[in-house]
Amino acid sequence: MALHFNSNGNLYRTVSLTYEKFLTHFAANPRRRHLVANALTFFRIFHSCGGQTVYIDGSFASTKEFPEDIDLCFDITPIDEIKLNAEFPQFFNINDRGNIRRDLQCHIFHFHSGDRSLLDLLSNDREGNAKGLIKLDLKE
């Protein structure tokens, strides 16, 4: 599957990728592989709590060779919040999520099917131009 990027290096549209295709297209150097390894922990946690989808955004979802971090936006609609709180209590504390961003370079966002405004916001660059995201199925 060929991915298409605009002149700013952003995806033209949101693409659904398998984890393997995601690695092939977006983990092409040690920095990117390191960020994916950090994010994998959160993929596993959210999946074990019922999460099915994560969207990846920011410079990681672009042609930038060395992104500073990886932005993860989880759909928490199907999440078991009690289990998530037991397995990942830091998710519920904004300061702890700030520490994760600083220490692991993972910026964690979330939305649910009743309010997709954050996901809609992430689908535009800083200048308001439409851009695509990477959609990963956590069931894989």
Side-chain angles (χ1 to χ4, degrees):
M1 164 188 223
L3 300 180
H4 302 285
F5 298 86
N6 64 24
S7 61
N8 294 327
N10 295 318
L11 288 164
Y12 273 109
R13 62 179 178 81
T14 296
V15 294
S16 295
L17 297 176
T18 65
Y19 184 71
E20 292 303 318
K21 291 288 184 187
F22 169 66
L23 291 178
T24 299
H25 289 288
F26 291 97
N29 63 44
R31 172 67 182 159
R32 285 177 164 274
R33 285 190 292 277
H34 174 74
L35 292 172
V36 170
N38 289 350
L40 189 57
T41 299
F42 303 108
F43 296 166
R44 288 180 177 141
I45 291 170
F46 279 86
H47 177 258
S48 75
C49 296
Q52 298 176 8
T53 307
V54 61
Y55 291 85
I56 299 167
D57 182 39
S59 60
F60 198 89
S62 75
T63 57
K64 185 173 183 179
E65 188 173 1
F66 300 105
E68 291 180 32
D69 61 11
I70 184 169
D71 297 342
L72 310 171
C73 189
F74 291 93
D75 179 355
I76 63 167
T77 305
I79 292 286
D80 177 340
E81 287 189 34
I82 294 169
K83 185 173 182 181
L84 183 60
N85 190 42
E87 291 195 27
F88 185 36
Q90 303 90 336
F91 175 74
F92 297 94
N93 183 307
I94 191 112
N95 292 327
D96 288 341
R97 288 202 331 244
N99 292 339
I100 290 167
R101 182 174 188 194
R102 183 193 67 225
D103 298 340
L104 297 175
Q105 299 86 43
C106 289
H107 200 182
I108 299 173
F109 302 100
H110 64 279
F111 73 97
H112 59 84
S113 62
D115 182 5
R116 296 177 58 97
S117 57
L118 177 60
L119 194 59
D120 293 339
L121 179 69
L122 296 175
S123 296
N124 292 294
D125 66 17
R126 290 185 175 131
E127 289 79 39
N129 301 309
K131 66 176 178 137
L133 308 171
I134 302 164
K135 180 181 178 184
L136 285 183
D137 182 348
L138 295 175
K139 296 176 285 187
E140 291 189 7

